[in-house]
Amino acid sequence: MSGPPDLPALGVLGGGQLGRMFAHAAQAMGYRSIVLDPDAQSPAGLVSHGHLQAPYLDPRALAELGAACTAVTTEFENVPAAALETLADHCPVAPGAAAVRICQDRAAEKAHFQRSGVPCAPYAVVDSEAAARAIDPALLPGLLKTAQLGYDGKGQASVATREEGLAAWQRFGGVRCVLEKRLPLRRELSVIVARGFDGRAVHLPVQQNLHRDGILAVTQVPAPDVDDATAARAVRCALQLADGMAYAGVLCVEFFLLQDGSLVANEMAPRPHNSGHYSIDACDLSQFDLQVRCMAGLPLVAPRQHSAAVMLNLLGDLWPADAAGQRRAPDWRPVLALPGTHLHLYGKAEARAGRKMGHLTITAATPVQAREVALQAGACLGFAPF
Ligand SMILES: Nc1ncnc2c1ncn2[C@@H]1O[C@H](COP(=O)(O)OP(=O)(O)O)[C@@H](O)[C@H]1O
Ligand SMILES: [Mg+2]
């Protein structure tokens, strides 16, 4: 591994874009970053001092990572919790395996919402053919979601009848699922909390998110359609959920704001989140700075948002394809000619439809100005953000 060995190192399980932005924040504070990811071309591995190219559960790689690092974190939702458990024998780990296990399983996650007194969608666990045949009609129409390994709308099926529920459960291979009632959403929100090993917690402002085809498309902060009381409620719930897991590290909680104004928790991510990327450019402490501070046991102070922000996800769909189907990067110059645009690209060589290639954050003095520039940026790239 390169870099002066006397400099402290922070480790990350997973080498995706979240790990890459974490590495940038860690390096800015004088740490070396070391990534464990099986992919030779992982976005975080490409910018780190060390890259252990091995499976996540490889005991030798975990021992090497733990021995080299002051602390280790995870950036990828589906890194096996057992890897964190093994690492905890070597160095501090944030978040810990127990919390990650809860966040990796929709049934455990919902049980944690209930235990913590945080409302969530009515649901049932579907873990057998009998359970699939006996779906409570009160949960229909609903969404059948695999309990584990789902992301960006994958592992989900819309279900209107018991028969459809059974068929969808069989299509998912009979794995444990959660059926939840489809709720009338007014808006989607998220809150990012950072909680230290000492239990002190801070949070970023409430984010308003727009999803397209199950993938986050736009985040706006401040949230234009959320009143102060609702925002405060979301923050309280997120802090409660973190406290209830004795969480250490950065946690994102997604919420649904329903048509009737009530708020329900949807899911948690035990790591920084796509909806928090705006914080790099719009806040005096980003979600990745907070992750570094949590891991290293450094003071957590409340982040201050200094600019209104709109974040646009840049999916591979925006990379124009030539006659041979080869995609190339868009011309960024017209976008970068707009005021307050911050382009982040993740170093992924191949653009594919639905693949997160980067994001664009627009900062401005007011939310209206940020929105106007976002519309212009979208027009340059050939899409309508809102
Ligand atoms: N119970 C529900 N009612 C209405 N819409 C939902 C419900 N559950 C999920 N969705 C929609 O699907 C999106 C993805 O679902 P989510 O549970 O967050 O899974 P993922 O892990 O794929 O992000 C949500 O952001 C929301 O737009
Ligand atoms: Mg989600």
Side-chain angles (χ1 to χ4, degrees):
M1 267 168 242
S2 56
D6 49 335
L7 277 183
L10 295 178
V12 57
L13 290 176
Q17 59 266 19
L18 296 166
R20 181 180 173 100
M21 290 180 267
F22 161 76
H24 290 152
Q27 290 167 6
M29 288 185 67
Y31 294 95
R32 292 182 301 139
S33 69
I34 304 178
V35 173
L36 173 61
D37 189 298
D39 176 8
Q41 297 300 316
S42 76
L46 293 173
V47 301
S48 283
H49 298 88
H51 179 189
L52 294 160
Q53 201 192 324
Y56 294 121
L57 285 169
D58 183 309
R60 277 183 43 196
L62 289 172
E64 192 178 341
L65 185 68
C69 292
T70 303
V72 174
T73 189
T74 170
E75 65 96 47
F76 169 50
E77 191 126 347
N78 292 320
V79 161
L84 295 168
E85 223 152 46
T86 305
L87 276 168
D89 293 337
H90 300 273
C91 68
V93 172
V100 169
R101 269 206 183 95
I102 294 174
C103 300
Q104 282 177 340
D105 186 297
R106 289 189 194 273
E109 191 171 55
K110 289 209 169 10
H112 182 64
F113 293 155
Q114 292 181 315
R115 211 170 31 237
S116 309
V118 172
C120 65
Y123 76 100
V125 177
V126 178
D127 54 2
S128 67
E129 187 170 330
R133 288 188 187 282
I135 283 170
D136 180 355
L139 296 177
L140 298 173
L143 286 148
L144 189 74
K145 304 181 179 179
T146 58
Q148 298 189 331
L149 301 175
Y151 69 98
D152 286 348
K154 295 182 178 66
Q156 294 193 19
S158 204
V159 165
T161 63
R162 270 189 180 165
E163 293 67 37
E164 283 182 20
L166 176 62
W169 179 75
Q170 285 167 339
R171 247 193 343 272
F172 288 147
V175 297
R176 203 156 48 87
C177 289
V178 161
L179 176 75
E180 67 182 65
K181 193 174 172 63
R182 182 179 283 284
L183 300 173
L185 312 190
R186 188 197 291 173
R187 292 286 181 262
E188 297 195 51
L189 320 175
S190 57
V191 176
I192 288 162
V193 169
R195 191 173 185 277
F197 290 114
D198 62 359
R200 235 187 89 79
V202 298
H203 62 88
L204 287 167
V206 172
Q207 295 123 202
Q208 182 169 318
N209 304 321
L210 190 69
H211 293 83
R212 288 209 180 89
D213 303 323
I215 305 178
L216 181 67
V218 182
T219 295
Q220 291 173 269
V221 196
D225 306 312
V226 180
D227 61 56
D228 290 350
T230 303
R233 213 167 353 128
V235 168
R236 259 198 322 274
C237 288
L239 291 169
Q240 244 163 271
L241 291 167
D243 283 342
M245 295 188 284
Y247 195 85
V250 171
L251 174 76
C252 179
V253 185
E254 293 183 16
F255 294 93
F256 296 146
L257 176 58
L258 304 186
Q259 294 292 355
D260 67 3
S262 60
L263 192 70
V264 301
N266 170 34
E267 61 170 354
M268 302 185 288
R271 50 168 175 77
H273 192 257
N274 197 164
S275 64
H277 290 354
Y278 76 96
S279 60
I280 297 174
D281 302 301
C283 299
D284 59 4
L285 278 177
S286 76
Q287 60 173 348
F288 302 102
D289 296 329
L290 293 170
Q291 188 179 19
V292 170
R293 288 186 182 220
C294 285
M295 293 168 72
L298 296 169
L300 293 175
V301 292
R304 182 180 62 87
Q305 185 181 4
H306 51 68
S307 297
V310 175
M311 189 280 312
L312 305 178
N313 253 354
L314 302 173
L315 302 183
D317 312 60
L318 295 177
W319 272 231
D322 63 20
Q326 197 70 26
R327 292 183 185 271
R328 41 188 184 76
D331 181 2
W332 300 114
R333 283 170 297 188
V335 173
L336 295 174
L338 298 169
T341 55
H342 308 264
L343 179 63
H344 298 256
L345 295 173
Y346 306 148
K348 298 181 184 179
E350 194 198 339
R352 290 192 298 267
R355 187 175 201 204
K356 291 175 181 171
M357 300 299 291
H359 70 269
L360 183 74
T361 298
I362 294 116
T363 54
T366 68
V368 171
Q369 285 168 2
R371 193 185 153 91
E372 262 164 28
V373 176
L375 285 169
Q376 292 169 33
C380 293
L381 295 168
F383 76 105
F386 304 103

